[in-house]
Amino acid sequence: MDIKYTAEATSSGDARNGHVRSSDGVIDEAMTMPKELGGPGGGTNPEQLFAAGYAACFHQALKLAGGQAKVDIDSTSVEARVGIGPDAGSFGLQVWITATVPGADQETADQLVARAHELCPYSKATRGNIDVEVTAKV
């Protein structure tokens, strides 16, 4: 693979109640464990950052899939939900992706979303590792 870009970020402090910062300073956030996991809540957390990244990455893959299929998908949106919970010995993640493709029929939307799931680097990275449920809405 010919790497074109590398993102860098550092976590410091008390991990989930610490701080994250990207090397360019664009991300500079206090981290707060969600109330549901026993923390104080009120700040960002790794699951939110992962959901935001996955949604944006999948959206780009959807646009690529639409372009390949010559389907107008300018008004699409992608929602990613990331759940965390205990598994055998630690914690695991589950992801739900909902891609909205206005103006398309359901069959076309389903095909585009399935193709986007094949193309998306986040989907490739998680495939076989965590449950990812992908849904198309029109």
Short mmCIF file of all heavy atoms in Angstrom, two decimals, residues 28-99:
data_model
loop_
_atom_site.label_atom_id
_atom_site.label_comp_id
_atom_site.label_asym_id
_atom_site.label_seq_id
_atom_site.Cartn_x
_atom_site.Cartn_y
_atom_site.Cartn_z
N ASP A 28 -8.49 18.60 19.95
CA ASP A 28 -7.88 18.93 21.24
C ASP A 28 -9.01 18.86 22.26
O ASP A 28 -9.66 19.86 22.54
CB ASP A 28 -7.25 20.33 21.18
CG ASP A 28 -6.35 20.61 22.36
OD1 ASP A 28 -6.26 19.78 23.28
OD2 ASP A 28 -5.73 21.70 22.35
N GLU A 29 -9.28 17.66 22.75
CA GLU A 29 -10.49 17.41 23.52
C GLU A 29 -10.21 16.76 24.87
O GLU A 29 -9.40 15.85 24.97
CB GLU A 29 -11.42 16.46 22.75
CG GLU A 29 -11.98 17.01 21.49
CD GLU A 29 -13.04 18.07 21.71
OE1 GLU A 29 -13.77 18.00 22.72
OE2 GLU A 29 -13.12 18.98 20.87
N ALA A 30 -10.94 17.22 25.87
CA ALA A 30 -10.98 16.52 27.15
C ALA A 30 -11.86 15.29 26.96
O ALA A 30 -12.90 15.35 26.30
CB ALA A 30 -11.55 17.43 28.23
N MET A 31 -11.43 14.18 27.51
CA MET A 31 -12.19 12.94 27.41
C MET A 31 -12.91 12.70 28.73
O MET A 31 -12.33 12.92 29.80
CB MET A 31 -11.27 11.77 27.10
CG MET A 31 -10.46 11.94 25.83
SD MET A 31 -11.47 12.04 24.35
CE MET A 31 -11.89 10.32 24.16
N THR A 32 -14.14 12.24 28.64
CA THR A 32 -14.93 11.96 29.83
C THR A 32 -15.66 10.64 29.65
O THR A 32 -16.35 10.45 28.65
CB THR A 32 -15.97 13.09 30.07
OG1 THR A 32 -15.29 14.34 30.07
CG2 THR A 32 -16.68 12.90 31.39
N MET A 33 -15.53 9.75 30.61
CA MET A 33 -16.23 8.48 30.54
C MET A 33 -17.74 8.72 30.63
O MET A 33 -18.20 9.50 31.47
CB MET A 33 -15.79 7.54 31.66
CG MET A 33 -16.36 6.14 31.50
SD MET A 33 -15.80 4.96 32.73
CE MET A 33 -14.04 4.93 32.41
N PRO A 34 -18.53 8.07 29.76
CA PRO A 34 -19.99 8.25 29.81
C PRO A 34 -20.57 7.78 31.14
O PRO A 34 -20.04 6.86 31.78
CB PRO A 34 -20.49 7.35 28.67
CG PRO A 34 -19.32 7.05 27.82
CD PRO A 34 -18.12 7.15 28.70
N LYS A 35 -21.66 8.39 31.54
CA LYS A 35 -22.35 8.00 32.77
C LYS A 35 -22.72 6.53 32.75
O LYS A 35 -22.66 5.85 33.77
CB LYS A 35 -23.62 8.85 32.97
CG LYS A 35 -23.34 10.27 33.35
CD LYS A 35 -24.63 11.05 33.55
CE LYS A 35 -24.31 12.49 33.90
NZ LYS A 35 -25.52 13.27 34.14
N GLU A 36 -23.09 6.03 31.54
CA GLU A 36 -23.51 4.63 31.42
C GLU A 36 -22.38 3.65 31.74
O GLU A 36 -22.63 2.48 32.03
CB GLU A 36 -24.01 4.37 29.99
CG GLU A 36 -25.26 5.14 29.62
CD GLU A 36 -24.97 6.56 29.12
OE1 GLU A 36 -23.83 7.04 29.21
OE2 GLU A 36 -25.94 7.20 28.67
N LEU A 37 -21.14 4.13 31.71
CA LEU A 37 -19.99 3.29 32.05
C LEU A 37 -19.41 3.65 33.41
O LEU A 37 -18.30 3.24 33.75
CB LEU A 37 -18.90 3.41 30.97
CG LEU A 37 -19.27 2.89 29.59
CD1 LEU A 37 -18.13 3.13 28.60
CD2 LEU A 37 -19.62 1.41 29.64
N GLY A 38 -20.15 4.46 34.17
CA GLY A 38 -19.72 4.80 35.52
C GLY A 38 -18.96 6.09 35.64
O GLY A 38 -18.46 6.43 36.72
N GLY A 39 -18.87 6.86 34.57
CA GLY A 39 -18.16 8.13 34.61
C GLY A 39 -19.08 9.30 34.81
O GLY A 39 -20.30 9.15 34.95
N PRO A 40 -18.53 10.52 34.78
CA PRO A 40 -19.34 11.71 35.00
C PRO A 40 -20.12 12.16 33.77
O PRO A 40 -21.07 12.94 33.88
CB PRO A 40 -18.29 12.77 35.37
CG PRO A 40 -17.04 12.32 34.70
CD PRO A 40 -17.10 10.81 34.72
N GLY A 41 -19.73 11.70 32.57
CA GLY A 41 -20.40 12.15 31.35
C GLY A 41 -20.08 13.61 31.08
O GLY A 41 -19.26 14.23 31.75
N GLY A 42 -20.74 14.17 30.07
CA GLY A 42 -20.61 15.59 29.80
C GLY A 42 -19.47 15.97 28.88
O GLY A 42 -19.30 17.14 28.57
N GLY A 43 -18.68 15.01 28.42
CA GLY A 43 -17.58 15.30 27.49
C GLY A 43 -17.57 14.28 26.39
O GLY A 43 -18.45 13.43 26.29
N THR A 44 -16.57 14.36 25.55
CA THR A 44 -16.49 13.39 24.47
C THR A 44 -15.83 12.10 24.95
O THR A 44 -15.26 12.07 26.04
CB THR A 44 -15.77 13.97 23.23
OG1 THR A 44 -16.04 13.15 22.10
CG2 THR A 44 -14.29 14.09 23.45
N ASN A 45 -15.96 11.06 24.15
CA ASN A 45 -15.39 9.76 24.51
C ASN A 45 -14.95 9.04 23.24
O ASN A 45 -15.29 9.45 22.14
CB ASN A 45 -16.42 8.93 25.32
CG ASN A 45 -17.69 8.69 24.55
OD1 ASN A 45 -17.71 7.99 23.55
ND2 ASN A 45 -18.79 9.29 25.02
N PRO A 46 -14.17 7.98 23.37
CA PRO A 46 -13.65 7.29 22.20
C PRO A 46 -14.73 6.77 21.25
O PRO A 46 -14.55 6.77 20.03
CB PRO A 46 -12.85 6.12 22.78
CG PRO A 46 -12.44 6.58 24.13
CD PRO A 46 -13.59 7.42 24.62
N GLU A 47 -15.86 6.36 21.80
CA GLU A 47 -16.93 5.83 20.95
C GLU A 47 -17.51 6.92 20.05
O GLU A 47 -17.84 6.67 18.89
CB GLU A 47 -18.01 5.15 21.80
CG GLU A 47 -17.54 3.89 22.49
CD GLU A 47 -16.56 4.14 23.64
OE1 GLU A 47 -16.72 5.14 24.38
OE2 GLU A 47 -15.62 3.34 23.79
N GLN A 48 -17.66 8.13 20.59
CA GLN A 48 -18.15 9.24 19.78
C GLN A 48 -17.17 9.58 18.65
O GLN A 48 -17.57 9.81 17.51
CB GLN A 48 -18.38 10.49 20.63
CG GLN A 48 -19.55 10.38 21.57
CD GLN A 48 -19.65 11.58 22.49
OE1 GLN A 48 -18.63 12.14 22.90
NE2 GLN A 48 -20.86 11.96 22.83
N LEU A 49 -15.88 9.59 18.98
CA LEU A 49 -14.87 9.89 17.96
C LEU A 49 -14.86 8.81 16.89
O LEU A 49 -14.74 9.11 15.70
CB LEU A 49 -13.50 10.04 18.61
CG LEU A 49 -13.36 11.22 19.58
CD1 LEU A 49 -12.00 11.16 20.28
CD2 LEU A 49 -13.54 12.55 18.86
N PHE A 50 -14.98 7.54 17.31
CA PHE A 50 -15.02 6.44 16.36
C PHE A 50 -16.26 6.54 15.48
O PHE A 50 -16.19 6.36 14.25
CB PHE A 50 -14.98 5.10 17.11
CG PHE A 50 -14.86 3.90 16.21
CD1 PHE A 50 -13.73 3.68 15.44
CD2 PHE A 50 -15.88 2.97 16.15
CE1 PHE A 50 -13.62 2.56 14.62
CE2 PHE A 50 -15.78 1.85 15.34
CZ PHE A 50 -14.64 1.65 14.57
N ALA A 51 -17.42 6.86 16.07
CA ALA A 51 -18.66 7.00 15.30
C ALA A 51 -18.54 8.12 14.27
O ALA A 51 -18.96 7.96 13.11
CB ALA A 51 -19.84 7.26 16.24
N ALA A 52 -17.96 9.24 14.67
CA ALA A 52 -17.80 10.37 13.74
C ALA A 52 -16.88 9.99 12.58
O ALA A 52 -17.18 10.26 11.41
CB ALA A 52 -17.24 11.58 14.48
N GLY A 53 -15.76 9.34 12.90
CA GLY A 53 -14.83 8.93 11.86
C GLY A 53 -15.44 7.91 10.92
O GLY A 53 -15.29 8.00 9.70
N TYR A 54 -16.14 6.93 11.48
CA TYR A 54 -16.76 5.88 10.65
C TYR A 54 -17.83 6.49 9.76
O TYR A 54 -17.90 6.18 8.56
CB TYR A 54 -17.33 4.79 11.55
CG TYR A 54 -17.44 3.41 10.90
CD1 TYR A 54 -17.41 2.27 11.69
CD2 TYR A 54 -17.60 3.24 9.53
CE1 TYR A 54 -17.51 1.00 11.13
CE2 TYR A 54 -17.71 1.97 8.96
CZ TYR A 54 -17.67 0.87 9.76
OH TYR A 54 -17.79 -0.39 9.21
N ALA A 55 -18.66 7.39 10.31
CA ALA A 55 -19.72 8.00 9.51
C ALA A 55 -19.14 8.76 8.32
O ALA A 55 -19.61 8.63 7.18
CB ALA A 55 -20.57 8.93 10.37
N ALA A 56 -18.10 9.56 8.56
CA ALA A 56 -17.49 10.34 7.49
C ALA A 56 -16.82 9.44 6.45
O ALA A 56 -16.95 9.67 5.24
CB ALA A 56 -16.48 11.33 8.07
N CYS A 57 -16.11 8.43 6.92
CA CYS A 57 -15.43 7.51 6.01
C CYS A 57 -16.44 6.74 5.16
O CYS A 57 -16.29 6.60 3.94
CB CYS A 57 -14.55 6.55 6.82
SG CYS A 57 -13.45 5.55 5.82
N PHE A 58 -17.50 6.22 5.79
CA PHE A 58 -18.52 5.47 5.07
C PHE A 58 -19.23 6.38 4.07
O PHE A 58 -19.55 5.96 2.96
CB PHE A 58 -19.52 4.85 6.05
CG PHE A 58 -20.36 3.76 5.44
CD1 PHE A 58 -19.98 2.44 5.56
CD2 PHE A 58 -21.52 4.06 4.75
CE1 PHE A 58 -20.73 1.42 4.99
CE2 PHE A 58 -22.29 3.05 4.18
CZ PHE A 58 -21.89 1.73 4.30
N HIS A 59 -19.47 7.64 4.46
CA HIS A 59 -20.14 8.58 3.56
C HIS A 59 -19.31 8.79 2.30
O HIS A 59 -19.84 8.83 1.18
CB HIS A 59 -20.39 9.90 4.29
CG HIS A 59 -21.42 10.76 3.64
ND1 HIS A 59 -21.60 12.06 3.99
CD2 HIS A 59 -22.31 10.51 2.65
CE1 HIS A 59 -22.57 12.59 3.25
NE2 HIS A 59 -23.01 11.66 2.43
N GLN A 60 -17.99 8.92 2.46
CA GLN A 60 -17.13 9.07 1.29
C GLN A 60 -17.18 7.81 0.41
O GLN A 60 -17.22 7.90 -0.82
CB GLN A 60 -15.70 9.35 1.71
CG GLN A 60 -14.77 9.64 0.54
CD GLN A 60 -15.18 10.90 -0.22
OE1 GLN A 60 -15.47 11.93 0.37
NE2 GLN A 60 -15.23 10.82 -1.54
N ALA A 61 -17.19 6.64 1.04
CA ALA A 61 -17.29 5.39 0.29
C ALA A 61 -18.63 5.30 -0.44
O ALA A 61 -18.71 4.80 -1.58
CB ALA A 61 -17.12 4.19 1.22
N LEU A 62 -19.71 5.80 0.18
CA LEU A 62 -21.02 5.82 -0.47
C LEU A 62 -21.01 6.73 -1.69
O LEU A 62 -21.57 6.39 -2.74
CB LEU A 62 -22.10 6.26 0.54
CG LEU A 62 -23.53 6.31 0.05
CD1 LEU A 62 -24.00 4.94 -0.42
CD2 LEU A 62 -24.43 6.84 1.17
N LYS A 63 -20.36 7.86 -1.56
CA LYS A 63 -20.25 8.77 -2.70
C LYS A 63 -19.45 8.12 -3.84
O LYS A 63 -19.79 8.26 -5.01
CB LYS A 63 -19.65 10.10 -2.28
CG LYS A 63 -20.59 10.88 -1.36
CD LYS A 63 -20.31 12.35 -1.42
CE LYS A 63 -21.34 13.11 -0.62
NZ LYS A 63 -22.43 13.60 -1.42
N LEU A 64 -18.40 7.39 -3.49
CA LEU A 64 -17.62 6.67 -4.49
C LEU A 64 -18.48 5.60 -5.16
O LEU A 64 -18.49 5.47 -6.39
CB LEU A 64 -16.38 6.04 -3.86
CG LEU A 64 -15.50 5.19 -4.77
CD1 LEU A 64 -14.97 6.00 -5.95
CD2 LEU A 64 -14.35 4.60 -3.97
N ALA A 65 -19.24 4.85 -4.37
CA ALA A 65 -20.12 3.81 -4.92
C ALA A 65 -21.16 4.43 -5.84
O ALA A 65 -21.45 3.88 -6.92
CB ALA A 65 -20.79 3.04 -3.79
N GLY A 66 -21.72 5.55 -5.45
CA GLY A 66 -22.70 6.23 -6.30
C GLY A 66 -22.08 6.70 -7.61
O GLY A 66 -22.69 6.57 -8.67
N GLY A 67 -20.87 7.23 -7.54
CA GLY A 67 -20.18 7.67 -8.74
C GLY A 67 -19.90 6.51 -9.68
O GLY A 67 -20.08 6.62 -10.90
N GLN A 68 -19.47 5.38 -9.11
CA GLN A 68 -19.20 4.20 -9.93
C GLN A 68 -20.47 3.70 -10.62
O GLN A 68 -20.43 3.23 -11.75
CB GLN A 68 -18.60 3.09 -9.07
CG GLN A 68 -17.19 3.36 -8.61
CD GLN A 68 -16.67 2.30 -7.65
OE1 GLN A 68 -17.42 1.53 -7.06
NE2 GLN A 68 -15.36 2.29 -7.48
N ALA A 69 -21.61 3.82 -9.92
CA ALA A 69 -22.88 3.34 -10.46
C ALA A 69 -23.62 4.42 -11.27
O ALA A 69 -24.70 4.17 -11.79
CB ALA A 69 -23.78 2.86 -9.32
N LYS A 70 -23.03 5.61 -11.33
CA LYS A 70 -23.64 6.75 -12.04
C LYS A 70 -25.01 7.08 -11.47
O LYS A 70 -25.98 7.30 -12.21
CB LYS A 70 -23.67 6.50 -13.54
CG LYS A 70 -22.28 6.35 -14.14
CD LYS A 70 -22.32 6.16 -15.62
CE LYS A 70 -20.99 5.99 -16.30
NZ LYS A 70 -19.78 5.90 -15.61
N VAL A 71 -25.09 7.10 -10.12
CA VAL A 71 -26.31 7.45 -9.41
C VAL A 71 -26.06 8.74 -8.64
O VAL A 71 -25.04 8.87 -7.96
CB VAL A 71 -26.72 6.32 -8.43
CG1 VAL A 71 -27.91 6.74 -7.59
CG2 VAL A 71 -27.00 5.03 -9.18
N ASP A 72 -26.96 9.70 -8.78
CA ASP A 72 -26.83 10.98 -8.08
C ASP A 72 -27.09 10.77 -6.59
O ASP A 72 -28.19 10.39 -6.19
CB ASP A 72 -27.83 11.99 -8.65
CG ASP A 72 -27.79 13.33 -7.93
OD1 ASP A 72 -26.79 13.61 -7.22
OD2 ASP A 72 -28.76 14.09 -8.06
N ILE A 73 -26.09 11.00 -5.78
CA ILE A 73 -26.24 10.81 -4.33
C ILE A 73 -25.77 12.04 -3.56
O ILE A 73 -25.27 11.94 -2.44
CB ILE A 73 -25.49 9.55 -3.86
CG1 ILE A 73 -24.03 9.62 -4.24
CG2 ILE A 73 -26.13 8.28 -4.39
CD1 ILE A 73 -23.19 8.59 -3.56
N ASP A 74 -25.98 13.22 -4.14
CA ASP A 74 -25.51 14.45 -3.51
C ASP A 74 -26.16 14.75 -2.16
O ASP A 74 -25.55 15.39 -1.31
CB ASP A 74 -25.73 15.64 -4.46
CG ASP A 74 -24.76 15.63 -5.62
OD1 ASP A 74 -23.69 15.00 -5.49
OD2 ASP A 74 -25.07 16.25 -6.65
N SER A 75 -27.37 14.31 -1.94
CA SER A 75 -28.07 14.66 -0.69
C SER A 75 -28.09 13.51 0.31
O SER A 75 -28.96 13.46 1.17
CB SER A 75 -29.49 15.13 -1.01
OG SER A 75 -30.19 14.13 -1.73
N THR A 76 -27.13 12.61 0.22
CA THR A 76 -27.08 11.49 1.15
C THR A 76 -26.56 11.92 2.51
O THR A 76 -25.93 12.97 2.67
CB THR A 76 -26.15 10.38 0.61
OG1 THR A 76 -24.85 10.92 0.43
CG2 THR A 76 -26.67 9.79 -0.67
N SER A 77 -26.81 11.08 3.51
CA SER A 77 -26.23 11.26 4.83
C SER A 77 -25.98 9.88 5.43
O SER A 77 -26.58 8.90 5.03
CB SER A 77 -27.16 12.08 5.74
OG SER A 77 -28.37 11.38 5.97
N VAL A 78 -25.05 9.85 6.37
CA VAL A 78 -24.70 8.59 7.04
C VAL A 78 -24.65 8.82 8.54
O VAL A 78 -23.99 9.75 9.01
CB VAL A 78 -23.35 8.03 6.54
CG1 VAL A 78 -22.94 6.80 7.34
CG2 VAL A 78 -23.41 7.71 5.05
N GLU A 79 -25.36 7.99 9.26
CA GLU A 79 -25.33 8.02 10.72
C GLU A 79 -24.63 6.76 11.20
O GLU A 79 -24.93 5.66 10.73
CB GLU A 79 -26.76 8.04 11.28
CG GLU A 79 -26.81 7.93 12.79
CD GLU A 79 -28.22 7.74 13.30
OE1 GLU A 79 -28.71 6.58 13.31
OE2 GLU A 79 -28.86 8.75 13.66
N ALA A 80 -23.69 6.92 12.10
CA ALA A 80 -23.02 5.77 12.71
C ALA A 80 -23.28 5.80 14.21
O ALA A 80 -23.15 6.84 14.85
CB ALA A 80 -21.52 5.81 12.45
N ARG A 81 -23.68 4.66 14.74
CA ARG A 81 -23.86 4.50 16.18
C ARG A 81 -22.86 3.43 16.63
O ARG A 81 -22.75 2.39 16.00
CB ARG A 81 -25.29 4.07 16.51
CG ARG A 81 -26.31 5.13 16.16
CD ARG A 81 -27.76 4.71 16.38
NE ARG A 81 -27.94 3.67 17.35
CZ ARG A 81 -28.70 2.59 17.17
NH1 ARG A 81 -29.35 2.41 16.04
NH2 ARG A 81 -28.83 1.69 18.10
N VAL A 82 -22.15 3.70 17.71
CA VAL A 82 -21.17 2.76 18.23
C VAL A 82 -21.56 2.41 19.66
O VAL A 82 -21.67 3.30 20.51
CB VAL A 82 -19.74 3.36 18.21
CG1 VAL A 82 -18.75 2.42 18.87
CG2 VAL A 82 -19.32 3.66 16.77
N GLY A 83 -21.80 1.13 19.89
CA GLY A 83 -22.13 0.65 21.23
C GLY A 83 -20.93 -0.04 21.84
O GLY A 83 -20.13 -0.66 21.14
N ILE A 84 -20.80 0.06 23.15
CA ILE A 84 -19.73 -0.62 23.88
C ILE A 84 -20.34 -1.37 25.05
O ILE A 84 -21.28 -0.88 25.68
CB ILE A 84 -18.64 0.37 24.36
CG1 ILE A 84 -17.48 -0.39 25.01
CG2 ILE A 84 -19.21 1.44 25.27
CD1 ILE A 84 -16.27 0.46 25.30
N GLY A 85 -19.83 -2.55 25.30
CA GLY A 85 -20.33 -3.34 26.41
C GLY A 85 -19.36 -4.46 26.74
O GLY A 85 -18.45 -4.76 25.97
N PRO A 86 -19.55 -5.07 27.90
CA PRO A 86 -18.64 -6.14 28.30
C PRO A 86 -18.76 -7.36 27.40
O PRO A 86 -19.84 -7.67 26.91
CB PRO A 86 -19.09 -6.47 29.73
CG PRO A 86 -20.43 -5.87 29.90
CD PRO A 86 -20.59 -4.79 28.88
N ASP A 87 -17.62 -7.98 27.15
CA ASP A 87 -17.60 -9.25 26.45
C ASP A 87 -16.77 -10.22 27.30
O ASP A 87 -16.60 -9.98 28.48
CB ASP A 87 -17.06 -9.12 25.01
CG ASP A 87 -15.62 -8.68 24.93
OD1 ASP A 87 -14.94 -8.60 25.97
OD2 ASP A 87 -15.14 -8.40 23.82
N ALA A 88 -16.27 -11.25 26.74
CA ALA A 88 -15.52 -12.26 27.51
C ALA A 88 -14.19 -11.69 27.98
O ALA A 88 -13.18 -11.79 27.30
CB ALA A 88 -15.30 -13.50 26.66
N GLY A 89 -14.17 -11.05 29.12
CA GLY A 89 -12.92 -10.59 29.71
C GLY A 89 -12.63 -9.12 29.64
O GLY A 89 -11.81 -8.63 30.42
N SER A 90 -13.23 -8.37 28.73
CA SER A 90 -13.00 -6.92 28.68
C SER A 90 -14.24 -6.25 28.10
O SER A 90 -15.33 -6.48 28.59
CB SER A 90 -11.73 -6.59 27.87
OG SER A 90 -11.90 -6.92 26.51
N PHE A 91 -14.07 -5.45 27.06
CA PHE A 91 -15.20 -4.78 26.42
C PHE A 91 -15.11 -4.97 24.91
O PHE A 91 -14.03 -5.15 24.36
CB PHE A 91 -15.21 -3.28 26.76
CG PHE A 91 -15.69 -3.00 28.15
CD1 PHE A 91 -14.83 -3.10 29.23
CD2 PHE A 91 -17.01 -2.63 28.36
CE1 PHE A 91 -15.28 -2.85 30.51
CE2 PHE A 91 -17.46 -2.37 29.64
CZ PHE A 91 -16.59 -2.48 30.71
N GLY A 92 -16.25 -4.90 24.25
CA GLY A 92 -16.31 -5.01 22.80
C GLY A 92 -17.20 -3.92 22.24
O GLY A 92 -17.94 -3.25 22.96
N LEU A 93 -17.13 -3.77 20.93
CA LEU A 93 -17.91 -2.75 20.23
C LEU A 93 -18.90 -3.38 19.27
O LEU A 93 -18.68 -4.49 18.78
CB LEU A 93 -16.98 -1.83 19.42
CG LEU A 93 -15.94 -1.03 20.17
CD1 LEU A 93 -15.06 -0.28 19.17
CD2 LEU A 93 -16.58 -0.07 21.15
N GLN A 94 -19.96 -2.64 18.99
CA GLN A 94 -20.89 -2.98 17.94
C GLN A 94 -21.23 -1.69 17.22
O GLN A 94 -21.32 -0.63 17.85
CB GLN A 94 -22.16 -3.63 18.48
CG GLN A 94 -23.09 -4.08 17.38
CD GLN A 94 -24.18 -5.02 17.86
OE1 GLN A 94 -24.17 -5.48 19.00
NE2 GLN A 94 -25.12 -5.31 16.99
N VAL A 95 -21.40 -1.76 15.90
CA VAL A 95 -21.65 -0.56 15.10
C VAL A 95 -22.92 -0.75 14.28
O VAL A 95 -23.15 -1.82 13.72
CB VAL A 95 -20.46 -0.27 14.16
CG1 VAL A 95 -20.75 0.92 13.26
CG2 VAL A 95 -19.19 -0.03 14.96
N TRP A 96 -23.70 0.31 14.20
CA TRP A 96 -24.87 0.37 13.34
C TRP A 96 -24.69 1.56 12.41
O TRP A 96 -24.52 2.69 12.87
CB TRP A 96 -26.16 0.57 14.14
CG TRP A 96 -26.45 -0.53 15.10
CD1 TRP A 96 -27.21 -1.65 14.87
CD2 TRP A 96 -26.00 -0.63 16.46
NE1 TRP A 96 -27.24 -2.43 16.00
CE2 TRP A 96 -26.51 -1.83 16.99
CE3 TRP A 96 -25.20 0.17 17.27
CZ2 TRP A 96 -26.26 -2.24 18.29
CZ3 TRP A 96 -24.94 -0.24 18.57
CH2 TRP A 96 -25.48 -1.43 19.07
N ILE A 97 -24.70 1.30 11.11
CA ILE A 97 -24.58 2.34 10.09
C ILE A 97 -25.92 2.46 9.39
O ILE A 97 -26.46 1.46 8.91
CB ILE A 97 -23.51 1.98 9.03
CG1 ILE A 97 -22.14 1.79 9.67
CG2 ILE A 97 -23.48 3.01 7.90
CD1 ILE A 97 -21.41 3.04 10.00
N THR A 98 -26.45 3.68 9.31
CA THR A 98 -27.66 3.93 8.55
C THR A 98 -27.34 4.99 7.51
O THR A 98 -26.98 6.12 7.86
CB THR A 98 -28.81 4.42 9.44
OG1 THR A 98 -29.05 3.43 10.46
CG2 THR A 98 -30.09 4.63 8.64
N ALA A 99 -27.42 4.60 6.25
CA ALA A 99 -27.17 5.52 5.14
C ALA A 99 -28.50 5.89 4.52
O ALA A 99 -29.28 5.02 4.15
CB ALA A 99 -26.26 4.87 4.11
#
